[in-house]
Amino acid sequence: MRLIVGLGNPGAEYARNRHNIGFMAVDAIARRHGFSTWKVRNQGLAAEGEIAGERVMLLKPQTYMNKSGACVGPTARFFKIPPEHVIVVHDELDLAPGKVRVKRGGGAA
């Protein structure tokens, strides 16, 4: 199983903000691939489905971005998803709008 986490901030005031691009991306994936409805799980919203024959869980933490680990960690552990199978989608202010960067690993930034 893969876990695709879309980061953002909860609440209507952030709904269409660039900072919520992670939420928007996983919503688009869910629509395109016919995922299940969103369900509350570990301080987040989760949907399950398949992409290219592989089981995938989408996750939108409902904590603020700097607290997203409180949702992602327990979810990954419960489903025994190793870190290398977790993909995190988030905004990056150092990139121009419309640009994407893919990298392995991470850190504080």
Side-chain angles (χ1 to χ4, degrees):
M1 176 185 269
R2 303 275 176 175
L3 177 61
I4 302 176
V5 180
L7 295 186
N9 285 320
E13 67 270 27
Y14 300 106
R16 300 297 298 165
N17 187 296
R18 176 181 176 170
H19 206 45
N20 274 18
I21 197 70
F23 284 0
M24 291 180 242
V26 295
D27 284 339
I29 292 167
R31 280 190 308 274
R32 180 173 183 167
H33 295 280
F35 274 52
S36 68
T37 58
W38 295 97
K39 297 177 183 149
V40 176
R41 178 176 295 282
N42 293 324
Q43 300 182 64
L45 298 174
E48 295 183 53
E50 279 191 15
I51 298 175
E54 185 166 2
R55 233 173 111 212
V56 175
M57 174 176 285
L58 303 176
L59 184 64
K60 297 190 293 186
Q62 297 299 291
T63 57
Y64 287 92
M65 286 183 79
N66 60 339
K67 304 263 185 191
S68 58
C71 172
V72 178
T75 302
R77 284 189 294 278
F78 181 83
F79 288 97
K80 297 178 176 59
I81 302 170
E84 60 270 15
H85 288 180
V86 177
I87 298 166
V88 180
V89 181
H90 62 90
D91 73 316
E92 175 56 64
L93 292 177
D94 291 337
L95 295 177
K99 294 290 182 179
V100 175
R101 177 175 57 192
V102 178
K103 69 176 194 163
R104 285 183 172 255

